[in-house]
Amino acid sequence: MLYRVEGIVIRSMDYGEGNKIITLCTETSGKIGVLVRGAKKVKSRHAALTQLFTHGEYVFFRQNGGLGTLNQGEMIESHFSLREDLFLAAYASYACELLDKTLQDEEVGSFWYTQLKACLEGLSSGKDPQIVIHLFEMKILQAAGYGPSIESCVSCGRVDDSTYVSPRLGGRLCRTCRHQDPAAMQVSPGVLKLLMLFEKMDLRRLGNVEVKEETKRELKTVMRAFMDMQLGVKLKSRHFLDQLDKYEI
């Protein structure tokens, strides 16, 4: 059967002497693997369609739900600027690997696709990459069913001026419920405000925001705790990103 999908390349690997297998995050069919014959050859007309972060329309043949074979394709956005910048490539790779590890094969839902698309566009357009990635992490947590409750207490639903959040329990704790997690983290008002914003905001609505470096460092610690506690996925790209962060000026 012939399929036509709009998708983003989240993984690309060599297969045999001249072929590649790509994993697409699609708007209508979830996550799909597609074999691209001859993609490694110099004159291949499909080589560009196999590059990481590429957004395009893919037409492929597939039988019985197995691996598809590309028939033809058309590029919509290459995101070349992400691949040529080491730091942006690291952030984009992390976003793609995170989605790949979290999204099950063919788990349908346009939310995954639209948020990844918005994430890559945000990175390409010069928005603060760390803010883009942390907002994307929040969307991944929500889509996976682990979205933190930041607006109100995760335990009783009360709203007060407490600034404690519990990655283990999955959200903010009021003063009355604070004792339920002795390891809860007290965050600054600035970080709490950002977390509340992230909880409500669609990545497609993110504008250009300026956040102090100190606040971003704290935000990274908090989001890392939520990701590790709620998802617990091991990502090679995150380790590489952490190494790059040490040298970023």
Side-chain angles (χ1 to χ4, degrees), residues 143-215:
Y146 301 107
S149 174
I150 307 297
E151 183 73 21
S152 58
C153 178
V154 68
S155 179
C156 70
R158 183 183 293 112
V159 178
D160 64 10
D161 61 353
S162 172
T163 58
Y164 283 96
V165 296
S166 170
R168 181 176 67 83
L169 297 179
R172 185 176 176 183
L173 289 175
C174 68
R175 296 186 182 281
T176 303
C177 299
R178 162 74 178 88
H179 69 281
Q180 294 187 16
D181 184 9
M185 308 168 70
Q186 185 170 23
V187 301
S188 66
V191 167
L192 185 63
K193 184 177 180 180
L194 282 171
L195 291 174
M196 292 171 65
L197 182 67
F198 287 177
E199 183 182 14
K200 298 176 181 178
M201 178 176 284
D202 187 304
L203 231 168
R204 291 172 289 184
R205 295 176 49 225
L206 178 65
N208 289 305
V209 295
E210 291 188 12
V211 180
K212 295 178 180 178
E213 289 300 320
E214 182 180 352
T215 302

Side-chain angles (χ1 to χ4, degrees), residues 83-204:
R83 292 192 296 274
E84 69 175 356
D85 184 291
L86 184 61
F87 287 98
L88 291 180
Y91 280 108
S93 295
Y94 170 67
C96 288
E97 188 183 7
L98 176 59
L99 189 146
D100 189 23
K101 294 290 187 181
T102 308
L103 178 62
Q104 300 301 311
D105 288 350
E106 299 189 36
E107 181 178 342
V108 178
S110 62
F111 184 81
W112 303 89
Y113 170 82
T114 57
Q115 296 307 297
L116 176 63
K117 182 172 177 284
C119 176
L120 297 181
E121 289 173 350
L123 292 173
S124 295
S125 64
K127 294 175 183 177
D128 189 314
Q130 189 174 332
I131 297 301
V132 171
I133 285 298
H134 290 325
L135 179 51
F136 181 71
E137 289 174 331
M138 181 68 81
K139 298 304 110 179
I140 289 291
L141 285 169
Q142 291 174 336
Y146 301 107
S149 174
I150 307 297
E151 183 73 21
S152 58
C153 178
V154 68
S155 179
C156 70
R158 183 183 293 112
V159 178
D160 64 10
D161 61 353
S162 172
T163 58
Y164 283 96
V165 296
S166 170
R168 181 176 67 83
L169 297 179
R172 185 176 176 183
L173 289 175
C174 68
R175 296 186 182 281
T176 303
C177 299
R178 162 74 178 88
H179 69 281
Q180 294 187 16
D181 184 9
M185 308 168 70
Q186 185 170 23
V187 301
S188 66
V191 167
L192 185 63
K193 184 177 180 180
L194 282 171
L195 291 174
M196 292 171 65
L197 182 67
F198 287 177
E199 183 182 14
K200 298 176 181 178
M201 178 176 284
D202 187 304
L203 231 168
R204 291 172 289 184

Side-chain angles (χ1 to χ4, degrees), residues 9 12 20 22 46-54 58 78 83:
V9 179
S12 181
K20 284 193 174 185
I22 58 174
H46 292 149
L49 291 168
T50 67
Q51 296 291 311
L52 269 180
F53 323 135
T54 297
Y58 295 81
S78 71
R83 292 192 296 274

